[in-house]
Amino acid sequence: MKLGIFGRAIVAASTLWMIGGTAFYASEQYAAASRLAQGHYNECLDSDLDANFCSDQRDIILTAHTDHLDGGLIGWAAVQAGVYLAIGLIVFLTLYGALKWVLAGAHSQTNKS
């Protein structure tokens, strides 16, 4: 099957989204995990607990929210980007198909007159 310009544009945009979206979701998840771990670390130090214990707990929390995600951080982020890509393509192609159908009906009306 040969792809026209429309099909090639969709493939190129999807590829760019998967690369950019994966990087975006990975960085957002890592930043959220870092904020959570640092918040716990600060609370732990405020409780007058040992700094080494607090540091170990911070590392455990960070690892749990990044490396221990299903598929690792990058795998998890790629799945997130893929889900949004699939939803976006379904919506776009539905709207595109509806618009083509409406325009085909308008075109057939002008040919009858």
Side-chain angles (χ1 to χ4, degrees), residues 1-77:
M1 179 175 121
K2 292 178 86 175
L3 288 177
I5 191 167
F6 184 70
R8 289 173 192 251
I10 289 175
V11 169
S14 297
T15 302
L16 292 174
W17 166 254
M18 285 303 295
I19 293 168
T22 298
F24 172 77
Y25 287 118
S27 67
E28 287 295 311
Q29 179 64 23
Y30 189 82
S34 294
R35 285 190 303 272
L36 181 68
Q38 190 62 39
H40 181 74
Y41 176 75
N42 293 339
E43 288 177 12
C44 184
L45 289 179
D46 290 343
S47 300
D48 294 327
L49 293 172
D50 180 44
N52 288 333
F53 173 77
C54 294
S55 179
D56 290 343
Q57 293 298 308
R58 179 185 59 204
D59 294 343
I60 289 170
I61 291 171
L62 184 62
T63 301
H65 286 86
T66 55
D67 295 342
H68 290 163
L69 293 170
D70 288 339
L73 180 61
I74 298 299
W76 176 86

Side-chain angles (χ1 to χ4, degrees), residues 82-99:
V83 166
Y84 285 112
L85 175 64
I87 291 169
L89 285 175
I90 289 169
V91 169
F92 175 74
L93 292 175
T94 301
L95 291 174
Y96 178 75
L99 181 63

